[in-house]
Amino acid sequence: MDEALINRLDYDEVFGTVLNRFCVQAAIGQPLTVYGKGGQTRGFLDIRDTVRCVELACLNPAARGECRVYNQFTEQFSVLDIALKVREAGKDLGIKVEIDHIPDPRVEAEQHYYNAKHSKLLDLGLQPHYLSDSLLDSLMNIALKYRDRVDPTIMLPQVNWREPRNDRRLSTTIDAGISVGAAQGANPACPAAGKRSAEATTHDGPHSP
């Protein structure tokens, strides 16, 4: 497949999902920025399973007058869980990955109960693709391959979700000590493989550490 057709990979502090973000941070040598204690927990779903879930729902329509709700995810992890997984994946690749706990700019509990059920799609025949070491290794290698396209200025939080208005400003350096002068004109999108894990959407959007 031509590289121009490869999916984009968002890692910025607003739209980037936590898995993408941590893999990119590890690839450029920036500490993984965990918001607060990192206990924020979300559901995760492989992009291949996303398509299969839609197919299964279409092939098994609800009866007339029936309201059917599906929780579309197969695993759940806290932000710190993901950070530790990425650190281990980096270690396997010979990369030293550090984790940095920073103040949480979002309006959310840093630790909370989360035990959502997701059995209905499994009952319909969904065969999940779980977040494996091989998938993490693949994501890390993609991030490393395209790390010259990364714009480090969009990694650290510039939005305080407790304020009604924010003026977003690009900084010229980051705490990791990486100069970003040459990256100002870089494409903020990094190509990614089609087989990547997708973070399930919640009421407040994907968590973007």
Side-chain angles (χ1 to χ4, degrees):
M1 182 173 65
D2 190 285
E3 285 199 352
L5 301 177
I6 298 177
N7 292 341
R8 61 181 287 137
L9 189 148
D10 293 303
Y11 56 84
D12 66 279
E13 47 102 19
V14 175
F15 296 107
T17 61
V18 63
L19 184 58
N20 292 354
R21 186 175 184 77
F22 284 170
C23 286
V24 170
Q25 286 183 311
I28 66 172
Q30 185 181 111
L32 311 186
T33 47
V34 172
Y35 288 179
K37 297 178 181 178
Q40 306 91 332
T41 304
R42 299 289 185 270
F44 286 76
L45 183 73
D46 189 284
I47 192 68
R48 293 166 291 182
D49 295 338
T50 300
V51 178
R52 180 60 175 155
C53 286
V54 173
E55 180 185 25
L56 287 171
C58 292
L59 293 174
N60 298 273
R64 185 177 180 86
E66 177 188 6
C67 177
R68 188 178 293 172
V69 178
Y70 298 109
N71 284 329
Q72 193 174 336
F73 71 95
T74 55
E75 299 177 277
Q76 57 189 48
F77 301 107
S78 71
V79 172
L80 185 57
D81 288 336
I82 296 296
L84 293 173
K85 284 180 175 293
V86 171
R87 185 172 69 179
E88 283 302 307
K91 182 179 179 181
D92 292 340
L93 294 172
I95 302 171
K96 182 180 180 180
V97 179
E98 297 182 355
I99 297 175
D100 188 11
H101 292 262
I102 66 174
D104 191 349
R106 299 175 66 93
V107 182
E108 62 183 358
E110 294 181 7
Q111 289 183 312
H112 58 87
Y113 178 78
Y114 186 90
N115 187 26
K117 303 300 181 183
H118 55 95
S119 60
K120 289 186 178 180
L121 288 163
L122 296 174
D123 293 341
L124 293 179
L126 177 64
Q127 297 180 333
H129 296 84
Y130 294 116
L131 182 58
S132 62
D133 293 341
S134 60
L135 178 57
L136 267 175
D137 180 77
S138 174
L139 278 169
M140 287 290 294
N141 277 294
I142 290 166
L144 288 166
K145 180 178 180 179
Y146 295 103
R147 60 185 171 186
D148 62 311
R149 301 188 185 186
V150 174
D151 182 355
T153 64
I154 64 175
M155 303 292 277
L156 298 181
Q158 301 176 61
V159 174
N160 185 336
W161 296 86
R162 294 174 176 79
E163 299 295 333
R165 181 181 178 85
N166 285 270
D167 294 323
R168 301 187 69 196
R169 298 183 178 88
L170 294 180
S171 60
T172 55
T173 58
I174 58 177
D175 291 341
I178 301 172
S179 175
V180 298
Q184 292 296 329
N187 183 350
C190 172
K195 294 182 179 179
R196 64 177 182 176
S197 181
E199 188 172 7
T201 302
T202 64
H203 68 282
D204 61 351
H207 178 78
S208 310

